[in-house]
Amino acid sequence: MILEGCPRYHGRMNTNTPSPATNFIRNLVTDDLAHGRTGGRLATRFPPEPNGYLHIGHAKSICLNFGLARDFGGVCHMRFDDTNPAKEETEFVDSILDTVRWLGFDWGDHLYYASDYFERCYGYAAKLIEDGKAFVDQLSAEEIRAYRGNLTEPGRESPWRNRPVSESLDLFRRMRAGEFRDGQLVLRARIDMASPNLNLRDPALYRIRHVPHWRTGTTWCIYPMYDYAHAVSDAEERITHSLCTLEFEDHRPLYDWVVENTPVPGRPHQYEFSRLNLSYTLMSKRKLLELVQEGHVRGWDDPRMPTLVGLRRRGYTPEAIRLFCERIGISKADSVIELGVLEDCLRSDLNERSHRRVAVLDPVRLVLENFPEDRSEECLAPNHPHHPEWGQRSLRLTRELVIERDDFMEVPAKGFFRLSPGKSVRLRYAYVVTCTRFDTDPVSGKVTTVYATYDPETRSGTPGADAVKVKGNIHWLSTTEAPEVEVRLYERLFLTPNPAVEADYRPLLNPESVRVVAARVEPGLIGALSGEAYQFERTGYFIRDAVDSSPGHPVFNRAVTLRDTWARS
Ligand code: ATP
Ligand code: MG
């Protein structure tokens, strides 16, 4: 029974959104604004490619970009980098927008698509040709690769590099008109085939792809390359600080070249930071897609996935994820963050906000031999130990109870202070009980029933209750008042800390990454709402599964254990 007057979860907000720690990007933004370098403006953007669901790595970028805009009075644009016609899907667009909103960020009117700039990209490319800074090449992809050289050898110039501007312009127009097949021609920047930076060795700007685009349909059969379109998009939107991950550091000279050599309206600057790597976790969208397609998980929102939809379903809150992004900070150092750091952020958020409840995950019967069969007593348990104002709920104590199987040991191991023959524990919110005997199943040898007597003088909350000292304090439920529900207990998806470095991560999948148990729970949990997290006393934080639950039949996911059990093992 849930007592009246206890505030519901939705009315309470955890205020632990952290105050931002400084980092090199915040410092340079502060400096740029102080010196008026960007006209006093700050404009950032989050530019996902809509070819998958966002993961926890994206959250780092989202918190950085939107967080800067929030803290410095700037704007952060939401922009889809949809330059690749083959791969994008609206399903991903919808999910990405929903997820960014869920994380607590708002782009206002600033929702853009790189495909909005296709016409301008084309116009600027034509201008580059007119200025002698781009040319249409007809080497094959293979030849272009061979001509490029490598880190020790300079590249060779294409024989088409010096063709007349008018010829390149004409060919570029006809590329657009659809006169050539895929790969037959390519528009290349005319920069420097001897550059030590391979990205400057006449990189491709446009390629032919006879593939309809989900937004522009069949309007185009040539598509701008990412490096070109990205720089143009940033400049068109007058982004001031274009923040990306370190692997784009070598692309920055090309980014600058595009901005400087086209008549774009803005002058964005690119800065790089290190991407998030998380132990026991894959972060590449391609591999996450494989996990889904090969059925290693049950979908993008499987609670074991590092996707934000998966984490959300698992029980992660936006506050916990923002706290995590704050704690890990921003730098240029490559590192792998312990998964435990993420889990700790969730604990510290849920510890504050979640109501306490009792669930027995692996029940075994406990009979109180001296407790009358027809009696039942109400025991009051606080909804939150530090928030008396959140009220209490009552647990019914009866002769027959269930307790956790591992709270009993036939022969107590060293340091085991819970139930075993002759030993006493406190039943939380109730009495001290002393184990008298137990039954086992003759075939399996498993314990089926534990018997105990209770001491009527030790009722919690009454004077003298603590006269009998016991070390153990266990949770319990009455067999008459403990509906059975499905509970899913998750472990790490991978057995080794860095699955991403292995040639094949599949053999490293943890076969026990989910364990489904039939738990007994407080009756009030039957009415749990999706999105409402609880601490099940002593066993972790749980949330009603948003997908597989139905009215009256909740399924619970364990979001995280109470302590970092992995760190101890
Ligand atoms: P993938 O290579 O797996 O497709 P991506 O990095 O290309 O991933 P995008 O959708 O292009 O994915 O990423 C959008 C933004 O999120 C980019 O600015 C990118 O730098 C950033 N981002 C992606 N992964 C991470 C990560 N692990 N840590 C920090 N930022 C990330
Ligand atoms: Mg990408």
Side-chain angles (χ1 to χ4, degrees):
M1 182 184 84
I2 311 272
L3 294 187
E4 288 300 322
C6 72
R8 304 298 293 177
Y9 168 82
H10 293 97
R12 303 190 313 268
M13 274 305 288
N14 190 343
T15 50
N16 75 3
T17 298
S19 57
T22 195
N23 58 53
F24 79 96
I25 290 181
R26 295 187 84 89
N27 291 343
L28 74 87
V29 167
T30 305
D31 198 58
D32 284 348
L33 292 177
H35 291 92
R37 281 189 203 111
T38 54
R41 287 188 319 115
L42 172 73
T44 57
R45 83 288 171 269
F46 174 62
E49 188 177 350
N51 62 348
Y53 286 79
L54 298 182
H55 52 59
I56 184 72
H58 292 115
K60 176 174 178 176
S61 175
I62 294 169
C63 289
L64 173 63
N65 282 294
F66 282 96
L68 284 169
R70 176 195 61 207
D71 298 338
F72 288 87
V75 288
C76 180
H77 296 184
M78 180 71 219
R79 182 200 316 140
F80 287 102
D81 155 31
D82 57 351
T83 45
N84 182 347
K87 284 202 271 173
E88 287 106 17
E89 284 182 41
T90 50
E91 175 197 351
F92 298 132
V93 169
D94 293 343
S95 166
I96 289 169
L97 292 177
D98 189 54
T99 299
V100 175
R101 243 181 254 118
W102 173 75
L103 265 185
F105 297 107
D106 182 7
W107 51 89
D109 300 332
H110 300 288
L111 173 60
Y112 305 105
Y113 295 83
S115 54
D116 294 342
Y117 312 121
F118 281 173
E119 191 62 53
R120 272 176 233 188
C121 284
Y122 179 83
Y124 295 145
K127 176 84 169 48
L128 285 171
I129 299 172
E130 284 165 16
D131 294 346
K133 291 172 179 167
F135 66 101
V136 171
D137 200 353
Q138 58 203 70
L139 291 183
S140 68
E142 217 169 286
E143 287 166 325
I144 289 178
R145 240 190 321 274
Y147 275 63
R148 182 173 297 136
N150 53 41
L151 289 175
T152 51
E153 272 174 49
R156 276 182 295 144
E157 294 188 351
S158 163
W160 309 102
R161 194 176 198 265
N162 296 318
R163 77 182 345 154
V165 164
S166 56
E167 202 175 295
S168 274
L169 264 184
D170 177 57
L171 287 170
F172 189 46
R173 254 179 240 125
R174 288 166 55 204
M175 279 167 66
R176 176 180 186 165
E179 290 186 27
F180 305 100
R181 46 170 215 284
D182 288 8
Q184 199 177 346
L185 295 178
V186 57
L187 180 74
R188 295 177 72 182
R190 205 160 166 274
I191 308 181
D192 179 6
M193 287 310 287
S195 171
N197 185 334
L198 296 178
N199 293 301
L200 294 183
R201 294 187 188 172
D202 294 2
L205 300 179
Y206 262 92
R207 57 182 172 164
I208 302 172
R209 299 215 60 192
H210 289 272
V211 175
H213 185 281
W214 65 285
R215 289 191 80 237
T216 58
T218 52
T219 307
W220 295 92
C221 62
I222 56 172
Y223 291 95
M225 302 300 289
Y226 173 80
D227 281 333
Y228 175 64
H230 184 72
V232 169
S233 304
D234 280 351
E236 284 295 313
E237 292 173 22
R238 302 182 67 233
I239 297 300
T240 56
H241 296 76
S242 176
L243 310 174
C244 62
T245 40
L246 276 176
E247 67 273 23
F248 290 101
E249 197 165 18
D250 289 348
H251 299 235
R252 191 182 343 125
L254 176 55
Y255 182 96
D256 290 341
W257 183 90
V258 172
V259 172
E260 280 156 18
N261 289 285
T262 54
V264 287
R267 182 47 179 108
H269 287 269
Q270 175 181 307
Y271 303 96
E272 307 86 18
F273 62 96
S274 60
R275 64 193 296 123
L276 170 67
N277 301 301
L278 200 55
S279 65
Y280 298 94
T281 306
L282 289 180
M283 213 77 92
S284 128
K285 270 187 270 183
R286 180 179 59 77
K287 289 178 182 168
L288 295 180
L289 178 64
E290 283 169 8
L291 288 176
V292 173
Q293 287 180 339
E294 295 173 16
H296 303 297
V297 294
R298 291 170 57 187
W300 286 101
D301 67 348
D302 187 298
R304 293 165 294 178
M305 289 282 273
T307 52
L308 294 169
V309 285
L311 291 169
R312 178 181 182 176
R313 187 171 164 196
R314 171 83 168 254
Y316 273 81
T317 57
E319 288 83 355
I321 292 172
R322 295 201 303 261
L323 177 63
F324 172 70
C325 292
E326 196 53 49
R327 279 194 190 162
I328 59 173
I330 298 289
S331 78
K332 276 182 169 290
D334 251 323
S335 68
V336 179
I337 305 288
E338 289 291 330
L339 185 52
V341 176
L342 178 62
E343 293 175 338
D344 256 344
C345 291
L346 183 59
R347 283 186 195 103
S348 69
D349 185 41
L350 294 185
N351 181 38
E352 260 305 303
R353 69 161 76 215
S354 46
H355 276 202
R356 273 49 176 172
R357 292 291 181 269
V358 173
V360 179
L361 301 182
D362 184 12
V364 67
R365 214 158 68 106
L366 173 70
V367 176
L368 303 181
E369 294 181 290
N370 59 340
F371 199 96
E373 208 148 326
D374 55 358
R375 193 158 101 212
S376 95
E377 283 187 31
E378 278 206 337
C379 302
L380 292 179
N383 285 322
H384 193 291
H386 305 138
H387 292 287
E389 73 282 9
W390 291 3
Q392 326 180 74
R393 79 274 187 202
S394 94
L395 299 170
R396 190 168 299 280
L397 184 76
T398 57
R399 179 184 166 89
E400 279 202 22
L401 308 172
V402 281
I403 59 170
E404 296 289 351
R405 181 168 292 282
D406 67 6
D407 280 337
F408 173 79
M409 275 185 99
E410 204 174 320
V411 182
K414 191 163 176 286
F416 183 83
F417 297 118
R418 288 163 281 160
L419 270 186
S420 50
K423 294 287 168 22
S424 305
V425 291
R426 175 170 292 284
L427 299 183
R428 279 196 165 186
Y429 317 119
Y431 296 96
V432 170
V433 301
T434 305
C435 176
T436 49
R437 61 195 173 93
F438 61 95
D439 293 339
T440 51
D441 181 283
V443 181
S444 67
K446 263 181 102 173
V447 173
T448 51
T449 308
V450 178
Y451 298 88
T453 53
Y454 84 105
D455 178 348
E457 306 301 313
T458 56
R459 166 101 195 211
S460 284
T462 61
D466 296 330
V468 179
K469 296 274 179 245
V470 289
K471 283 191 175 162
N473 189 322
I474 67 174
H475 61 278
W476 52 274
L477 288 170
S478 166
T479 48
T480 60
E481 207 188 62
E484 189 178 287
V485 302
E486 178 177 329
V487 173
R488 299 170 181 171
L489 305 172
Y490 299 101
E491 298 290 348
R492 294 174 178 187
L493 187 52
F494 290 96
L495 295 167
T496 58
N498 205 348
V501 302
E502 306 292 333
D504 184 9
Y505 58 80
R506 291 171 188 81
L508 304 173
L509 280 161
N510 178 3
E512 281 159 26
S513 57
V514 59
R515 192 155 57 87
V516 177
V517 299
R520 307 288 295 267
V521 300
E522 272 185 54
L525 283 170
I526 296 301
L529 305 174
S530 312
E532 188 161 13
Y534 294 94
Q535 185 193 100
F536 288 0
E537 298 188 18
R538 300 178 63 227
T539 60
Y541 294 97
F542 292 74
I543 193 165
R544 181 186 191 268
D545 187 81
V547 178
D548 294 332
S549 300
S550 57
H553 296 280
V555 170
F556 286 94
N557 294 320
R558 178 154 68 191
V560 66
T561 54
L562 284 190
R563 276 174 297 278
D564 187 352
T565 47
W566 281 64
R568 283 185 297 153
S569 59

